[in-house]
Amino acid sequence: MRITPLALCFTFAATLAHADESAFHWPHGAGAAVCLTYDDSLASQIDVAYPQLEAAGLKGTFFLQGNGGTMESRVDDWRQIAEAGHELASHSLMHPCRKGLPGRDWVADKYDLDQYNLERLESEMEVTNILLHAIDGQTDRTFAYPCGDTAVSNGTQPFLEFAREFFVASRGVSPELGSMRDFKFSDTPAFSPDTKTFEECVAYLEDCYAKGTVAIFLNHGVGGDYLVTDAKLHEQILEYLAENQDRFWIDTFKNVTLHAKSEFDRLDWPIE
Ligand SMILES: [Zn+2]
């Protein structure tokens, strides 16, 4: 191979970037991290997403809600998924959302987050953790805000601070990061592939790679249920990731955010 001055230049720059201890680093020299997450305890996640993850050799994070139908009928499946190394995380006990916001007519009055106070929310979070512990024996949890809502009492009382104390990290629905420095552990970004093409999903991944950040996929149904990520699209995304594991570190939301926390500590960046 002929080494051109330009190639030497790139090699030198890459070496410098890697040696830069003041920069945020992902494990194994990866350029970005990727989390594959699934909300609402849906059957299609057990029947379609999980087998596809296993086939690709990748781990996902399943944000379970206590009153999701499969929590009663298919708890053994969730236990098996946890035993296979995937993450079971909290999506609350009753999936309360702010009914007062536009398009929220479907929210039951009794699960209207606008009518919750912090005490009720905290109690339900505790019970959810006990429930999940009974399934997988884990203690430290991550969380995903139902509907992306982050406040109770008609939106007057944010519970981000509470989530920060209660969970390793909480997945929100914030927009894509400019850099890891902007990462907020109590309200992370997310990207929903259900309305996207494969090319748009790859563009998102490569944009996160260019910025050295974390790509967080938020799925509901996969090949079924609702807000459906097409099964073929889901499989294509996993295949792309499996083929690019030297560039992307794909792991559970908990493992990725724990690593990010250790980097924030090392760099003395504030954890929000
Ligand atoms: Zn949800």
Side-chain angles (χ1 to χ4, degrees):
M1 190 183 84
R2 204 169 75 88
I3 298 177
T4 64
L6 192 62
L8 265 179
C9 228
F10 278 125
T11 309
F12 184 60
T15 308
L16 267 186
H18 195 73
D20 181 2
E21 288 302 312
S22 67
F24 184 101
H25 293 303
W26 292 113
H28 319 303
V34 181
C35 299
L36 301 158
T37 75
Y38 306 84
D39 289 14
D40 296 4
S41 320
L42 299 175
S44 65
Q45 297 165 1
I46 299 171
D47 296 329
V48 181
Y50 168 56
Q52 288 189 354
L53 284 165
E54 286 293 292
L58 301 174
K59 301 299 177 210
T61 296
F62 296 87
F63 287 105
L64 305 183
Q65 62 186 82
N67 63 343
T70 61
M71 298 300 285
E72 193 174 357
S73 60
R74 305 191 62 180
V75 72
D76 288 341
D77 291 323
W78 289 120
R79 188 170 285 121
Q80 183 195 323
I81 288 169
E83 282 168 0
H86 302 271
E87 179 186 7
L88 304 188
S90 172
H91 197 37
S92 83
L93 190 65
M94 312 309 289
H95 202 287
C97 293
R98 296 191 57 198
K99 193 177 173 75
L101 296 183
R104 295 284 179 79
D105 293 342
W106 57 271
V107 178
D109 287 342
K110 59 183 175 179
Y111 304 138
D112 179 2
L113 196 60
D114 284 331
Q115 306 305 318
Y116 271 54
N117 57 28
L118 285 176
E119 289 73 25
R120 179 176 174 191
L121 188 74
E122 185 172 4
S123 308
E124 293 191 2
M125 297 290 200
E126 284 169 359
V127 175
T128 312
N129 279 2
I130 292 168
L131 173 70
L132 294 176
H133 179 264
I135 300 173
D136 67 7
Q138 300 282 319
T139 46
D140 294 338
R141 295 277 165 208
T142 66
F143 175 66
Y145 296 95
C147 301
D149 294 341
T150 58
V152 296
S153 305
N154 289 312
T156 60
Q157 276 198 292
F159 57 96
L160 292 153
E161 183 65 40
F162 161 76
R164 197 174 298 130
E165 288 169 18
F166 213 74
F167 299 105
V168 172
S170 300
R171 202 211 61 216
V173 290
S174 301
E176 200 183 321
L177 298 167
S179 75
M180 271 315 281
R181 183 88 199 219
D182 303 329
F183 188 78
K184 293 197 169 33
F185 291 84
S186 58
D187 190 13
T188 79
F191 174 92
S192 299
D194 55 294
T195 55
K196 309 292 194 307
T197 63
F198 174 62
E199 288 71 26
E200 287 170 323
C201 293
V202 170
Y204 168 62
L205 282 167
E206 293 301 335
D207 199 43
C208 291
Y209 182 82
K211 292 172 180 163
T213 58
V214 50
I216 303 173
F217 284 86
L218 188 176
N219 297 280
H220 286 88
V222 178
D225 295 313
Y226 53 83
L227 299 172
V228 182
T229 302
D230 182 77
K232 185 69 201 164
L233 172 64
H234 185 257
E235 192 171 40
Q236 282 180 306
I237 295 167
L238 299 191
E239 282 171 1
Y240 185 82
L241 290 171
E243 287 165 6
N244 286 277
Q245 288 191 76
D246 55 330
R247 300 195 302 128
F248 292 102
W249 177 45
I250 305 112
D251 211 326
T252 61
F253 185 67
K254 182 174 163 180
N255 287 344
V256 166
T257 51
L258 279 173
H259 172 82
K261 249 183 190 163
S262 70
E263 282 293 275
F264 268 62
D265 282 340
R266 180 179 68 80
L267 296 162
D268 207 17
W269 291 356
I271 291 176
E272 291 180 49

